[in-house]
């Protein structure tokens, strides 16, 4: 049988490590969580950390996971997300993880909520390192337009109407950390943060895998 293609570079090489070739593994391991902030930041956006820019092996790995059905990548990507959570929180303490929920349509297309899978693998990784972790799903996502076709104002308007609190949301322990895969304008994270804050569950930070880079036109 031919070896599976690397999720990061698509090369068919032996020795894949949870879906990535050794070169792409090295590229991912060289990334380190760092603060990121959209410009301008939307009101209500909590402090946000990203593992790296939306480029290279990280970008291709996320696309393979989300859009090409490579669900096995949830484990390595979740482990990377756990690193971002740890950096966002600081000293080890109790943490509640809240992932931005998929819409029902997106979850059906992806055979499950892709961020919920990442959150659970991130929680497993943190627990193995001695962190007390809870994963809550206090929100549901309402149908909304595809953000790819929207500008910054459109994203903000769509995000504000996109999330509702579930009836039995449950309580949070310790630091509340929002999880998302990619941050672009920050509108989604800010909207989720406002809904949680109104419910008495104010997020302390947001942790994402990738941050898009704003292009400056000359």
């Amino acid at each position: 049988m031919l070896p599976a293609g690397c999720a990061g570079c698509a090369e068919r090489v032996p020795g894949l490590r949870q879906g990535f070739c050794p070169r792409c593994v090295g590229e991912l391991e060289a990334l380190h969580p760092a603060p990121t902030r959209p410009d301008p930041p939307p009101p209500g956006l909590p402090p946000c950390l990203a593992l790296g820019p939306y480029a290279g092996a990280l970008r291709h790995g996320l696309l393979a996971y989300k859009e090409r059905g490579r669900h096995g990548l949830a484990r390595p990507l979740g482990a990377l997300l756990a690193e971002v959570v740890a950096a966002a929180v600081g000293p080890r303490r109790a943490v509640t993880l809240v992932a931005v929920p998929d819409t029902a349509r997106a979850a059906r297309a992806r055979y499950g909520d892709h961020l919920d899978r990442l959150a659970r693998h991130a929680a497993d990784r943190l627990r193995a390192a001695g962190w007390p972790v809870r994963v809550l799903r206090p929100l549901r996502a309402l149908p909304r337009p595809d953000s790819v076709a929207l500008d910054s104002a459109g994203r903000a308007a769509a995000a504000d109407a996109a999330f509702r609190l579930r009836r039995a949301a449950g309580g949070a322990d310790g630091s509340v950390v929002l999880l998302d895969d990619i941050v672009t304008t920050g509108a989604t994270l800010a909207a989720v943060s406002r809904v949680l804050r109104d419910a008495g569950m104010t997020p302390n930070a947001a942790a994402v895998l990738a941050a898009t880079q704003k292009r400056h036109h000359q």
Side-chain angles (χ1 to χ4, degrees):
M1 295 178 65
L2 290 174
C6 169
C9 65
E11 296 233 358
R12 291 186 175 273
V13 296
L16 294 186
R17 181 172 155 191
Q18 294 189 352
F20 292 95
C21 71
R23 181 169 61 85
C24 287
V25 167
E27 181 180 327
L28 293 172
E29 288 181 343
L31 298 174
H32 299 286
T36 186
R37 201 80 178 161
D39 182 20
L45 180 67
C48 184
L49 269 74
L51 180 68
Y54 186 53
L58 183 58
R59 175 179 180 272
H60 291 297
L62 280 169
L63 286 172
Y65 171 59
K66 288 175 62 175
E67 310 301 339
R68 297 177 194 130
R70 293 190 61 171
H71 296 163
L73 297 173
R75 184 180 297 276
L77 292 174
L80 292 172
L81 190 56
E83 293 182 22
V84 187
V85 172
V89 174
R92 188 182 304 166
R93 68 188 74 175
V95 175
T96 296
L97 303 180
V98 178
V100 174
D102 268 342
T103 63
R105 180 179 179 181
R108 285 194 299 271
R110 294 167 178 159
Y111 297 95
D113 190 308
H114 77 290
L115 273 167
D116 183 60
R117 282 194 296 265
L118 292 184
R120 296 189 182 284
H121 282 293
D124 289 344
R125 186 63 170 254
L126 289 165
R127 290 188 189 108
W131 291 66
V133 181
R134 293 185 68 192
V135 178
L136 291 184
R137 300 187 64 187
L139 303 174
R140 62 186 180 93
L142 305 179
R144 60 185 184 272
D146 190 340
S147 62
V148 173
L150 301 176
D151 59 12
S152 296
R155 284 172 182 259
D160 276 337
F163 303 100
R164 293 291 183 273
L165 197 69
R166 296 180 185 272
R167 286 186 178 179
D173 295 331
S175 296
V176 177
V177 181
L178 300 185
L179 303 181
D180 207 348
D181 50 1
I182 306 163
V183 60
T184 301
T185 65
T188 297
L189 287 171
V192 169
S193 182
R194 288 193 291 271
V195 174
L196 292 178
R197 185 186 62 233
D198 291 344
M201 198 185 304
T202 301
N204 300 92
V208 303
L209 284 169
T212 59
Q213 305 298 297
K214 190 171 185 177
R215 295 180 180 178
H216 298 280
H217 299 283
Q218 296 182 348

